[in-house]
Amino acid sequence: MNSTTVISTVDNITLITLQGFPANVGAMSRIFDEIAKCGINIDMISMAPTHGAYTGMSFTISDNDLIDILSFVNAVKKETDIKVIVSSVNHKISIYDKAMKNTPGIAAKVFNAISNTDADIRLITTSEVEISLLVTEADFDTVYQAITAAMS
């Protein structure tokens, strides 16, 4: 692993996916405001490309907040046509390297490594210096080992 590359993990992550979500920032703001009122911290956020007036949006929370968000999720299901999918007991693997910003091929290296694992990658978020993957509990060890080996 490059001396500046850091691979970190977080376990017990719940993925919430909202399908058929209004594709506007106001709707997103209202959802995140309501979740904040519940005292729940959001980590990863990913929005799918829009299809007309709708999109899909996913975000993660700690499994410790699962019970607290269920009443909110149930209200969303009852009051809207949004389909809500909840998946708990996931793991986040993050690869951080400040050199990533100016070094082509790091994403290729990561995805080549995990392509041979046949893992269920639930969510991917990136920044200029980090790639974060949400994986299932069942696939965590395999994906983590593949990434660690590839980054050595």
Side-chain angles (χ1 to χ4, degrees), residues 21-145:
F21 189 79
N24 68 68
V25 177
M28 291 176 202
S29 173
R30 286 187 293 279
I31 287 289
F32 292 137
D33 279 344
E34 290 301 315
I35 294 169
K37 288 177 188 173
C38 296
I40 297 171
N41 188 47
I42 294 173
D43 184 19
M44 302 170 79
I45 300 172
S46 180
M47 186 176 98
T50 60
H51 297 283
Y54 298 97
T55 189
M57 184 172 65
S58 296
F59 57 90
T60 62
I61 63 171
S62 169
D63 282 353
N64 295 332
D65 293 323
L66 181 59
I67 298 298
D68 295 334
I69 205 165
L70 286 180
S71 62
F72 169 74
V73 166
N74 286 332
V76 168
K77 285 183 185 179
K78 286 180 186 176
E79 298 168 10
T80 69
D81 292 330
I82 296 170
K83 181 178 178 183
V84 181
I85 302 166
V86 178
S87 168
S88 60
V89 194
N90 297 293
H91 294 258
K92 180 172 84 165
I93 302 171
S94 297
I95 302 92
Y96 170 86
D97 191 328
K98 62 183 178 183
M100 195 179 294
K101 182 176 181 177
N102 298 310
T103 307
I106 294 177
K109 186 183 288 190
V110 169
F111 288 99
N112 282 333
I114 63 176
S115 68
N116 297 320
T117 67
D118 198 32
D120 183 2
I121 306 298
R122 298 284 172 102
L123 188 65
I124 301 167
T125 60
T126 65
S127 73
E128 292 180 328
V129 295
E130 184 175 81
I131 301 169
S132 292
L133 308 164
L134 190 71
V135 300
T136 63
E137 169 91 12
D139 291 327
F140 170 73
D141 288 333
T142 303
V143 172
Y144 180 77
Q145 291 168 4

Side-chain angles (χ1 to χ4, degrees), residues 14-25:
T14 295
L15 173 65
I16 310 285
T17 300
L18 307 175
Q19 294 179 337
F21 189 79
N24 68 68
V25 177

